[in-house]
Amino acid sequence: MINIMKHTVFNEKMSEENDILVTGEKKAKGSNMMEQKVYKTMKAAGATNIAVGVITLVVGIVTGILLIVTGGRLLARKSKILF
């Protein structure tokens, strides 16, 4: 039987008490360490996604501004362009 648990782990003792209340059995000793590794990995991935998103946003805005400025210059000087 698969139990789906959603709870916040405040400390090891609290986690153990929650597990006993929800599932009726204790978790294996190494599972707390695995949960910590998963949360650290998720934290790093989230921080990386935010950083890449901000960089992408800045690059997009700067590129858009440069395109508008160069297009405006071309339109302003179109009478001076000879083919």
Side-chain angles (χ1 to χ4, degrees):
M1 182 168 128
I2 299 175
N3 292 317
I4 299 174
M5 298 183 304
K6 291 183 179 180
H7 64 277
T8 306
V9 179
F10 294 106
N11 59 32
E12 193 171 317
K13 183 179 178 186
M14 189 114 171
S15 172
E16 188 174 315
E17 289 173 5
N18 285 340
D19 294 339
I20 292 171
L21 290 174
V22 174
T23 63
E25 57 190 36
K26 289 185 179 181
K27 281 187 175 182
K29 288 275 186 181
S31 66
N32 287 337
M33 183 179 291
M34 290 302 291
E35 284 182 11
Q36 290 175 0
K37 287 182 181 180
V38 169
Y39 286 126
K40 285 182 181 179
T41 302
M42 288 171 47
K43 181 180 175 183
T48 303
N49 286 338
I50 290 173
V52 170
V54 168
I55 291 170
T56 304
L57 184 66
V58 169
V59 168
I61 290 171
V62 169
T63 305
I65 291 170
L66 288 174
L67 287 171
I68 291 171
V69 168
T70 354
R73 283 186 184 168
L74 281 173
L75 287 175
R77 297 177 186 165
K78 71 179 179 181
S79 62
K80 295 180 182 179
I81 298 175
L82 299 175
F83 285 100

